[in-house]
């Protein structure tokens, strides 16, 4: 693992303790850190604001930052805060429009984490807002402006699928029970508008699935999982395991949690991985692939894309792996998003 990888893993956390600071400073003594590459990697992975905020707590003389680098890190925080405030305004406007056409909205992924997990909305950067919608009691499909409203929201970067969400089902690959997710969801408020939030177990599992979509080693995904495990009351790990098996994604959850534990760190309770029911042979394979990726220092230098691809498909059940592969052949991506380490799985 490179020194830059280690620094990123230490700084991608909300609780940056004296021990983390001392470890970062120890890594910088006697070494020439590739600060420009580190910052570029943190930005690509969506964690530059929190990494920068934590680096600024370290002794600048020990870090030997390039001229103007600390100021750039501070600017990244302000820029992220401005973007997230703009996104909050967009979301509030969207929720008001959805209410007008009798559609209820549940927040997913980073949108939900802003309310439940992030201490400050600026800690990470995100490029979209994810909602899943369901009809209200007086809504009738085909009457009103529902399609026009959803199209308008998609145009403005708000992904709002009706009844289920393509990111969580991986475009139909996984049999995720959204009616059950809605039954377990709880109501909340966002800037005066009614919203729904998934249960801790469903939120955690959706983050594991999202980590799979991003080939497991995007730092924002690892950060999200580690912080969710640390900050949510619960989750009920027995229920997480049962829901993962029900959704045929227990291998994805195993890989995502191990990848998080071995990089940014994740304090998993005893039995959390065993309860998922992944076979010992498959579990060893997943863990060896993760260890090989981490050992090579592949986050900063981007040398492990094939390993990440192999890990992704190894984490599927065979039937779901085939569905995902077939979908990737029939629906090739139009472009590669700059913030991603490697192309997405479906």
């Amino acid at each position: 693992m490179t020194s830059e990888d280690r620094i990123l893993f230490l700084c991608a956390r909300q609780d940056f303790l004296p021990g983390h600071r001392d470890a970062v400073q120890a890594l910088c003594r006697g070494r020439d850190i590739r600060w420009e590459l580190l910052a570029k990697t943190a930005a690509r992975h969506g964690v530059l604001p929190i990494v920068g905020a934590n680096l600024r707590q370290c002794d600048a003389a020990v870090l030997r930052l390039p001229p103007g680098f600390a100021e750039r890190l501070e600017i990244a925080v302000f820029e992220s805060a401005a973007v997230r405030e703009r996104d909050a305004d967009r979301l509030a406007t969207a929720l008001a429009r959805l209410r007008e056409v009798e559609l209820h909205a549940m927040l997913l992924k980073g949108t939900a984490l802003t309310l439940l997990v992030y201490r400050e909305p600026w800690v990470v950067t995100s490029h979209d807002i994810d909602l899943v919608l369901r009809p209200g009691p007086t809504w009738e499909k085909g009457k009103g402006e529902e399609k026009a409203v959803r199209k308008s929201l998609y145009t403005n970067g708000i992904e709002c699928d009706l009844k289920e969400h393509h990111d969580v089902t991986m475009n139909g690959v996984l049999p995720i029970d959204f009616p059950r997710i809605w039954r377990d969801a709880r109501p909340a408020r966002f800037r005066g508008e009614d919203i729904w939030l998934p249960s801790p177990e469903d939120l955690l599992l959706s983050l594991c699935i999202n980590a799979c979509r991003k080939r497991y080693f995007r730092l924002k995904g690892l950060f999200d999982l580690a912080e969710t495990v640390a900050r949510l009351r619960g989750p009920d790990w027995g229920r997480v395991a049962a829901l993962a098996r029900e959704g045929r994604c227990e291998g994805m959850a195993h890989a995502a949690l191990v990848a998080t534990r071995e990089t940014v760190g994740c304090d998993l309770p005893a039995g959390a991985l065993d309860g998922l029911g992944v076979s010992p042979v498959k579990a060893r394979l997943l863990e060896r692939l993760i260890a090989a990726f981490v050992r090579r220092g592949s986050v900063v230098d981007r040398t492990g894309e094939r390993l990440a691809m192999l890990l992704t498909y190894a984490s599927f059940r065979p039937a779901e792996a085939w569905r995902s592969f077939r979908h990737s052949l029939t629906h090739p991506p139009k472009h590669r998003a700059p913030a991603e380490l490697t192309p997405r799985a479906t």
Side-chain angles (χ1 to χ4, degrees):
M1 189 189 304
T2 68
S3 297
E4 293 83 5
D5 280 311
R6 293 181 187 276
I7 291 170
L8 284 172
F9 296 155
L10 286 164
C11 290
R13 67 189 66 247
Q14 294 186 98
D15 288 329
F16 191 66
L17 304 176
H20 300 125
R21 182 197 61 211
D22 293 344
V24 169
Q25 293 177 171
L27 285 166
C28 294
R29 290 190 177 95
R31 294 183 177 89
D32 291 325
I33 303 299
R34 296 172 291 176
W35 290 111
E36 293 292 339
L37 181 57
L38 184 147
K40 182 179 178 181
T41 303
R44 188 176 76 247
H45 286 249
V47 294
L48 182 57
I50 190 64
V51 167
N54 289 334
L55 283 173
R56 288 172 57 232
Q57 297 184 46
C58 299
D59 188 334
V62 175
L63 268 55
R64 293 180 295 144
L65 299 174
F69 195 81
E71 290 74 15
R72 284 173 54 193
L73 297 178
E74 186 174 10
I75 290 171
V77 171
F78 287 123
E79 289 179 342
S80 180
V83 169
R84 296 312 288 263
E85 179 64 22
R86 181 203 66 191
D87 288 347
D89 288 339
R90 283 197 299 150
L91 177 56
T93 301
L95 293 171
R97 289 291 291 123
L98 291 168
R99 172 172 47 79
E100 291 172 359
V101 293
E102 281 288 322
L103 288 173
H104 297 171
M106 185 191 302
L107 308 188
L108 297 176
K109 300 191 302 182
T111 313
L113 297 179
T114 300
L115 292 183
L116 296 173
V117 173
Y118 301 156
R119 287 178 179 166
E120 300 290 345
W122 54 260
V123 294
V124 292
T125 57
S126 183
H127 300 285
D128 54 24
I129 296 171
D130 294 284
L131 308 175
V132 61
L133 310 176
R134 71 172 178 181
T138 62
W139 181 86
E140 293 183 50
K141 188 175 181 180
K143 295 182 180 180
E145 303 176 18
E146 174 263 329
K147 289 184 178 179
V149 169
R150 289 177 59 212
K151 182 177 180 180
S152 173
L153 297 184
Y154 256 97
T155 301
N156 286 282
I158 299 175
E159 295 187 2
C160 48
D161 291 1
L162 190 60
K163 297 186 179 180
E164 61 181 33
H165 197 281
H166 64 280
D167 284 351
V168 181
T169 66
M170 298 186 76
N171 294 310
V173 170
L174 300 176
I176 303 299
D177 186 354
F178 266 92
R180 197 268 314 148
I181 291 176
W182 274 106
R183 290 194 299 271
D184 292 346
R186 55 196 189 278
R189 299 277 288 177
F190 180 85
R191 295 199 173 185
E193 297 291 339
D194 292 331
I195 58 165
W196 292 83
L197 294 169
S199 70
E201 295 78 17
D202 285 317
L203 178 60
L204 182 65
L205 198 56
S206 73
L207 296 176
C208 291
I209 294 168
N210 197 54
C212 176
R213 291 179 57 249
K214 302 298 177 67
R215 307 299 191 216
Y216 291 110
F217 292 104
R218 190 181 182 210
L219 289 176
K220 180 181 178 298
L222 300 172
F223 171 89
D224 287 346
L225 267 170
E227 295 294 330
T228 298
V229 170
R231 299 190 178 283
L232 286 188
R233 292 183 178 179
D236 180 335
W237 286 95
R239 182 156 176 75
V240 169
L243 294 178
R245 293 191 297 270
E246 176 186 293
R248 303 181 69 83
C249 56
E250 67 276 11
M252 298 178 195
H254 188 105
L257 292 169
V258 171
T260 303
R261 184 189 66 191
E262 298 303 311
T263 53
V264 300
C266 184
D267 188 15
L268 298 173
L273 294 176
D274 293 340
L276 292 167
V278 177
S279 73
V281 172
K282 183 170 182 174
R284 284 196 297 272
L285 171 62
L286 297 176
E287 290 164 14
R288 287 177 179 176
L289 289 171
I290 291 167
F293 187 100
V294 172
R295 185 170 58 250
R296 291 174 61 169
S298 302
V299 171
V300 168
D301 292 330
R302 305 183 75 176
T303 59
E305 294 190 4
R306 291 184 180 179
L307 269 175
M309 177 76 77
L310 181 59
L311 173 64
T312 298
Y313 279 97
S315 69
F316 283 96
R317 289 189 183 187
E320 283 65 41
W322 168 242
R323 291 193 192 100
S324 177
F325 180 70
R326 184 175 58 190
H327 187 277
S328 68
L329 293 178
T330 56
H331 299 78
K334 295 180 180 179
H335 68 281
R336 178 175 176 166
E340 294 182 22
L341 174 64
T342 55
R344 295 181 183 183
T346 54

